[in-house]
Amino acid sequence: MSKPHAPDRITQRAEQQIRQWRAGHIHARRTYRDGYLTLRVTPHWRLLSRNNGLNWELLSHADYNNQI
């Protein structure tokens, strides 16, 4: 799920966000162009799913901007 450079607290927060999304407590946004799902972890970290939530990738905000 996460890249090795993410701090442990960010990884834990990301896992919590995924659990909340799967339980229906929070909603993911869709990117405009490609329709990817995205969840905000912190102001500097994002979760991105290219396959409707089956797999999630934890990205820094800069990497996220490059991906979408």
Side-chain angles (χ1 to χ4, degrees), residues 11-57:
T11 303
Q12 291 170 357
R13 170 81 178 173
E15 291 170 354
Q16 178 185 28
Q17 291 291 92
I18 292 171
R19 282 193 304 272
Q20 288 181 355
W21 175 77
R22 287 185 175 146
H25 297 298
I26 60 174
H27 299 282
R29 296 181 185 263
R30 289 224 178 247
T31 60
Y32 178 74
R33 186 179 63 183
D34 296 313
Y36 298 152
L37 289 175
T38 183
L39 289 169
R40 180 178 172 186
V41 178
T42 69
H44 302 288
W45 292 91
R46 301 285 186 274
L47 283 163
L48 180 68
S49 176
R50 294 182 177 100
N51 57 5
N52 290 321
L54 294 175
N55 298 312
W56 291 90
E57 186 176 3

Side-chain angles (χ1 to χ4, degrees), residues 1-13:
M1 178 197 63
S2 65
K3 291 188 173 186
H5 68 278
D8 288 339
R9 65 183 173 80
I10 300 299
T11 303
Q12 291 170 357
R13 170 81 178 173

Side-chain angles (χ1 to χ4, degrees), residues 3 33-34 36 48 50 59-68:
K3 291 188 173 186
R33 186 179 63 183
D34 296 313
Y36 298 152
L48 180 68
R50 294 182 177 100
L59 302 167
S60 69
H61 196 288
D63 291 340
Y64 170 83
N65 284 340
N66 289 333
Q67 293 293 318
I68 62 165

